Amino acid sequence: MSKTFYAHILILLATFISGGSFLVSQKLSGVINPISINLLRFLIATVTLIPFIFLKKEYRIKLISTFKRAFIISFFYTSFLIGMFISLEHTSALNTGAIFTLVPLLTALLSIIFFKQKIPKKQYIVYFFGIIGTCIVIFKGDIKLLLSLTLNKGDLFFLISILFISMYSICAKYFYKEDDKLIVLVFMTLFGGCIWMSLALFIFNVPLQWNRISSDNFVSLGYISIAATLITAYLYQKSTVVLGPKKIMAYTYLTPASIAILMFIVTSQVLTYWVIIGILISTFATVLLLIKS
């Protein structure tokens, strides 16, 4: 198996793990403030990696040299999460889902600046179809719902927020060095995330309230901390180094599709014809972008 093909498998796996986090997060929604729960997930992910990092000298000696770059990477990741939560206070999940479809195109445009990559004119059409296919899945083929979409201040804030997630992908490639230990870079990125989330907690005066998390929520918390944070951070970093941010973010079009498929498997929610059509269109657009990029 080639390194490139293996990287595609890893990012596809990460996409479905992230999709699962949307379902699991619903069980934690409303329990405590989202910034507090994200600080906790970063802490759990970081603490889980500590034994693997500090027991090996080759990892320990890389911590200081890696920190500055990882701190910048984590800034963009956590800024997106914070921006998303603030946006959701003023807009709907449907609006943010529709706006998020702009991420692959935005990342491609940023790749022109940072990596001197060019975008063929025909590729813009593929991005357009990717946006259309993903929106069909998000709005479940309800044209009236799509046409009723109106922008508000929350949407404008989220437009700024998606710049951070695009920059996160750019930085994951830009700041990586050949002699880096990948697991150390991931660890320091998560550690940086703890710092940035702690600052956000202080700035927005958010109480921890971790005592509100019951034993019934432990499995969900474990999933978003270990699977959706630690494992996906590792998979995204490893795949980005090989494929580059442009291809990595093309998989964003498959996120709503992965959620729909997981809901069908886990909760037996029926996939409508429109949703299936949207999944096929977004998948086709993703494949074209991966081939042409």
Side-chain angles (χ1 to χ4, degrees):
M1 185 184 295
S2 69
K3 185 185 293 186
T4 301
F5 182 73
Y6 183 60
H8 282 294
I9 297 296
L10 293 182
I11 197 61
L12 186 61
L13 175 61
T15 300
F16 273 86
I17 293 174
S18 297
S21 70
F22 282 90
L23 305 183
V24 173
S25 295
Q26 291 178 349
K27 297 181 180 179
L28 294 170
S29 178
V31 177
I32 60 176
N33 187 282
I35 293 178
S36 179
I37 198 71
N38 274 281
L39 171 58
L40 182 56
R41 70 191 280 190
F42 273 102
L43 278 172
I44 292 173
T46 303
V47 171
T48 302
L49 271 184
I50 285 177
F52 300 96
I53 298 297
F54 285 90
L55 287 177
K56 280 196 173 185
K57 184 180 179 180
E58 61 178 313
Y59 292 161
R60 294 198 303 271
I61 61 176
K62 287 286 185 179
L63 291 173
I64 296 176
S65 62
T66 305
F67 177 69
K68 289 182 180 179
R69 291 174 288 121
F71 197 54
I72 296 172
I73 295 171
S74 64
F75 167 76
F76 289 108
Y77 184 33
T78 53
S79 294
F80 165 73
L81 291 174
I82 294 167
M84 179 178 67
F85 295 132
I86 294 174
S87 300
L88 287 171
E89 292 179 359
H90 305 283
T91 189
S92 68
L94 281 177
N95 283 34
T96 55
I99 294 170
F100 196 71
T101 62
L102 298 174
V103 169
L105 177 58
L106 180 58
T107 306
L109 293 173
L110 288 172
S111 294
I112 297 174
I113 300 171
F114 286 90
F115 305 113
K116 309 301 179 184
Q117 294 181 351
K118 295 181 179 180
I119 305 177
K121 291 181 180 179
K122 291 181 179 179
Q123 208 167 89
Y124 286 104
I125 300 174
V126 180
Y127 280 112
F128 174 74
F129 276 104
I131 292 171
I132 294 297
T134 309
C135 282
I136 290 174
V137 178
I138 292 171
F139 291 94
K140 299 180 180 178
D142 191 332
I143 303 299
K144 290 183 179 179
L145 195 60
L146 177 60
L147 294 177
S148 66
L149 180 68
T150 56
L151 294 179
N152 53 55
K153 65 177 182 180
D155 298 323
L156 295 176
F157 199 89
F158 193 66
L159 278 170
I160 298 171
S161 299
I162 65 171
L163 175 63
F164 289 116
I165 195 63
S166 293
M167 282 301 300
Y168 162 67
S169 184
I170 294 289
C171 289
K173 173 72 173 180
Y174 189 80
F175 287 113
Y176 178 79
K177 293 183 178 180
E178 289 296 327
D179 62 340
D180 274 337
K181 296 295 183 182
L182 192 63
I183 193 170
V184 176
L185 182 58
V186 171
F187 173 75
M188 296 309 290
T189 300
L190 295 172
F191 178 68
C194 292
I195 296 174
W196 290 118
M197 279 297 177
S198 297
L199 285 172
L201 206 76
F202 175 76
I203 293 170
F204 295 106
N205 194 28
V206 175
L208 285 177
Q209 298 178 324
W210 291 347
N211 59 302
R212 291 188 177 183
I213 301 174
S214 67
S215 57
D216 295 336
N217 301 131
F218 286 171
V219 174
S220 298
L221 182 61
Y223 182 89
I224 66 169
S225 302
I226 306 302
T229 303
L230 194 163
I231 294 176
T232 56
Y234 181 84
L235 295 178
Y236 273 109
Q237 182 65 54
K238 187 176 181 67
S239 302
T240 301
V241 171
V242 178
L243 301 176
K246 191 176 172 184
K247 287 187 176 181
I248 291 297
M249 283 304 168
Y251 278 93
T252 300
Y253 290 139
L254 298 182
T255 300
S258 69
I259 296 171
I261 292 170
L262 287 171
M263 288 184 71
F264 172 74
I265 296 171
V266 177
T267 66
S268 300
Q269 181 170 314
V270 178
L271 295 176
T272 66
Y273 289 117
W274 275 111
V275 170
I276 293 173
I277 290 171
I279 290 173
L280 291 175
I281 294 174
S282 57
T283 302
F284 183 64
T286 302
V287 172
L288 282 179
L289 288 173
L290 295 176
I291 293 173
K292 300 295 182 181
S293 297

